[in-house]
Each structure stands twice: as C-alpha cells, then as structure tokens.
Amino acid sequence: MTVGESLIPTESPDPAELVRVEAALRRLPRLERDILLAVRLDGLGTAAIARRTGLSQAEVQRLLARAIEHFTHALEHPRRHGRWWRRWRRR
C-alpha cells in the first residue's frame, strides 16, 4: 500500500467477491486472521500488535507472512479444505 492510498474502496464491491474474501478469512487460523485484520483494517504496526498480544515482533511478522500466504492460497483454491476428515464424510 502506498502513502495516501485509502483502505476504503471507492466503488461498491462485488457481492460474490465479498463472499470469497469472507470464506478465505474464515479458513485462516484465528491468530493469523486477527493479525492480518489488525494490520490491514486497523492500521496497526507489528510492534503495536506484539505489545497487545504479548508475542515478539518477529513472531507477529512471521504470523502475518503466514496469514498472507494462507489467505492468498484460500482465494486461489476456494474449494480445497485443510481438514482431511471432511473429504471422508462427503462420500
């Protein structure tokens, strides 16, 4: 994100895209999701998150990187579930 770039979209988002984003966010582990949202929506830095959570700043950075990786993967592969037992139940 560049300086001056707004986090608020200027046009109405596509409802289908919102469903995809919400589903991808729900697939993240809770701590990763909380850190990602704190950075992207609340504008907090990793140092502030580390103070609030009691984690080291390096751990927050690592979790943020994992959250971005998992979120991107979940958007690209929306039907793949990480829980192996769900595949067995469908049969």
Side-chain angles (χ1 to χ4, degrees), residues 14-51:
D14 178 26
E17 185 70 17
L18 289 177
V19 169
R20 285 183 59 232
V21 168
E22 184 177 357
L25 283 171
R26 286 182 184 204
R27 287 177 58 189
L28 293 177
R30 183 182 179 114
L31 186 56
E32 289 181 18
R33 180 177 59 239
D34 290 347
I35 290 172
L36 180 63
L37 293 176
V39 169
R40 297 300 295 172
L41 296 181
D42 298 334
L44 294 177
T46 55
I49 296 169
R51 281 192 305 274

Side-chain angles (χ1 to χ4, degrees), residues 48-65:
I49 296 169
R51 281 192 305 274
R52 290 180 182 197
T53 60
L55 300 170
S56 69
Q57 190 170 357
E59 181 70 8
V60 171
Q61 291 171 344
R62 187 183 70 77
L63 287 168
L64 177 60

Side-chain angles (χ1 to χ4, degrees), residues 44-85:
L44 294 177
T46 55
I49 296 169
R51 281 192 305 274
R52 290 180 182 197
T53 60
L55 300 170
S56 69
Q57 190 170 357
E59 181 70 8
V60 171
Q61 291 171 344
R62 187 183 70 77
L63 287 168
L64 177 60
R66 285 183 58 194
I68 292 169
E69 179 184 352
H70 290 153
F71 180 72
T72 303
H73 180 75
L75 281 176
E76 292 171 355
H77 307 287
R79 296 188 189 269
R80 292 187 181 176
H81 295 286
R83 296 188 171 90
W84 60 270
W85 50 267

